């Protein structure tokens, strides 16, 4: 999976709880992204970061938060405000410039019980 | 509106047969088009990338074509193998500031013996 790791692979959460998904990359990429994938749907962008200490909202940022304190790490927090959090979450990274190829991690499947 | 449409939604073929997946897009201004392969429960992996001036690009048994005039692309798989069973995602990049990737919903290919 191209030097990008996500953990855990499976995550279960009770309603009302916040949960943080980990994403680490050793590709020396400046840009990192979080996507959500639902059955029968295309990938939807949650947040992206083109440089350390900076990030922007994607198409479906409500109920999510991120931080980018280190170049290698881009954790995603799914908050209790996210109404339908059960999904497959994918992290990706690329060289500077969002038109460069994105390399994806193996994903985290989050299930809210 | 920038959109990427893929067809068919799903496809079942016998091992050893060829198949062609379609991608139509309305993304403008166009930068490049990528095909990704996503195995179940895994992150997408890039197969090919094509720019405006490229008509055909191959990667082993995978051959992608691009017609920038009609805004259509196809992915041809030759002599299919069981390991080709996956979702194939067409991703078009727009030449603009900020994140600019538009994802298709994918075609699910099942290769049976």
């Amino acid at each position: 999976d191209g030097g990008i790791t996500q953990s855990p692979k499976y995550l279960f959460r009770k309603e009302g709880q916040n949960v943080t998904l980990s994403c680490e990359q050793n590709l020396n990429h400046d840009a990192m992204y979080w996507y959500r994938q639902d059955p029968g749907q295309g990938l939807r962008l949650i947040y992206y970061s083109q440089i350390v200490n900076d990030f922007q909202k994607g198409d479906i940022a409500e109920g999510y938060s991120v931080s980018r304190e280190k170049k290698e790490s881009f954790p995603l927090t799914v908050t209790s405000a996210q109404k339908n959090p059960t999904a497959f979450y994918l992290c990706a990274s690329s060289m500077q410039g969002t038109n460069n190829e994105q390399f994806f991690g193996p994903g985290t499947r989050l299930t809210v019980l | 509106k920038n959109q990427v449409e893929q067809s068919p939604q799903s496809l079942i073929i016998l091992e050893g047969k060829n198949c062609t997946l379609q991608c139509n897009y309305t993304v403008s201004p166009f930068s490049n088009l990528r095909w990704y392969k996503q195995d179940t429960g895994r992150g997408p992996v890039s197969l090919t990338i094509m720019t405006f001036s490229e008509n055909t690009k191959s990667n082993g048994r995978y051959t992608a074509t691009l017609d920038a005039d009609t805004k259509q692309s196809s992915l041809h798989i030759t002599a299919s193998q069981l390991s080709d069973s996956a979702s194939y995602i067409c991703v078009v990049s727009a030449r603009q500031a900020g994140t600019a990737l538009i994802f298709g919903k994918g075609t699910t290919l099942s290769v049976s013996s």
Side-chain angles (χ1 to χ4, degrees):
Chain A
D1 293 304
I4 302 179
T5 59
Q6 291 184 241
S7 62
K9 187 171 179 63
Y10 299 97
L11 187 58
F12 298 88
R13 175 196 109 173
K14 292 181 179 180
E15 268 191 58
Q17 290 181 336
N18 293 353
V19 63
T20 297
L21 282 59
S22 169
C23 178
E24 304 277 333
Q25 54 98 1
N26 62 4
L27 300 170
N28 199 33
H29 285 165
D30 288 308
M32 297 187 75
Y33 315 79
W34 273 106
Y35 292 93
R36 170 181 172 139
Q37 188 175 37
D38 295 285
Q41 298 293 321
L43 273 67
R44 292 183 290 170
L45 183 66
I46 303 173
Y47 268 99
Y48 66 102
S49 168
Q50 296 191 35
I51 197 168
V52 174
N53 292 323
D54 186 51
F55 49 82
Q56 284 78 41
K57 293 181 178 180
D59 301 320
I60 55 167
E62 185 176 351
Y64 301 97
S65 65
V66 294
S67 63
R68 187 85 188 279
E69 297 176 1
K70 298 187 300 182
K71 186 176 184 177
E72 302 79 17
S73 179
F74 191 40
L76 172 75
T77 297
V78 185
T79 75
S80 57
Q82 169 50 235
K83 299 303 179 187
N84 186 21
T86 295
F88 189 53
Y89 290 88
L90 286 161
C91 178
S93 71
S94 72
M95 293 174 62
Q96 184 62 261
T98 52
N99 282 329
N100 287 309
E101 179 180 353
Q102 294 186 14
F103 294 83
F104 286 85
T108 293
R109 184 166 300 281
L110 172 64
T111 302
V112 175
L113 304 174
Chain B
K1 181 181 178 182
N2 288 332
Q3 286 186 316
V4 175
E5 300 286 343
Q6 291 188 243
S7 62
Q9 185 176 4
S10 61
L11 183 61
I12 301 173
I13 61 173
L14 289 175
E15 187 178 14
K17 297 297 185 182
N18 304 336
C19 68
T20 300
L21 314 180
Q22 300 290 340
C23 173
N24 296 338
Y25 61 93
T26 58
V27 177
S28 182
F30 175 85
S31 178
N32 57 61
L33 183 149
R34 297 183 179 93
W35 283 93
Y36 280 89
K37 177 186 180 186
Q38 184 178 21
D39 293 317
T40 301
R42 304 293 299 274
V45 175
S46 178
L47 293 174
T48 65
I49 177 171
M50 302 180 72
T51 59
F52 185 87
S53 59
E54 295 176 298
N55 300 119
T56 303
K57 183 166 283 188
S58 293
N59 178 2
R61 294 180 296 102
Y62 301 101
T63 299
T65 65
L66 175 65
D67 186 334
D69 292 331
T70 61
K71 298 187 177 180
Q72 295 180 326
S73 175
S74 66
L75 181 69
H76 186 75
I77 304 174
T78 304
S80 61
Q81 300 176 358
L82 297 178
S83 60
D84 292 330
S85 296
S87 178
Y88 292 84
I89 303 171
C90 176
V91 185
V92 180
S93 179
R95 194 180 301 278
Q96 63 189 49
T99 182
L101 293 186
I102 299 91
F103 289 81
K105 294 182 179 180
T107 292
T108 300
L109 174 64
S110 298
V111 180
S112 60
S113 57

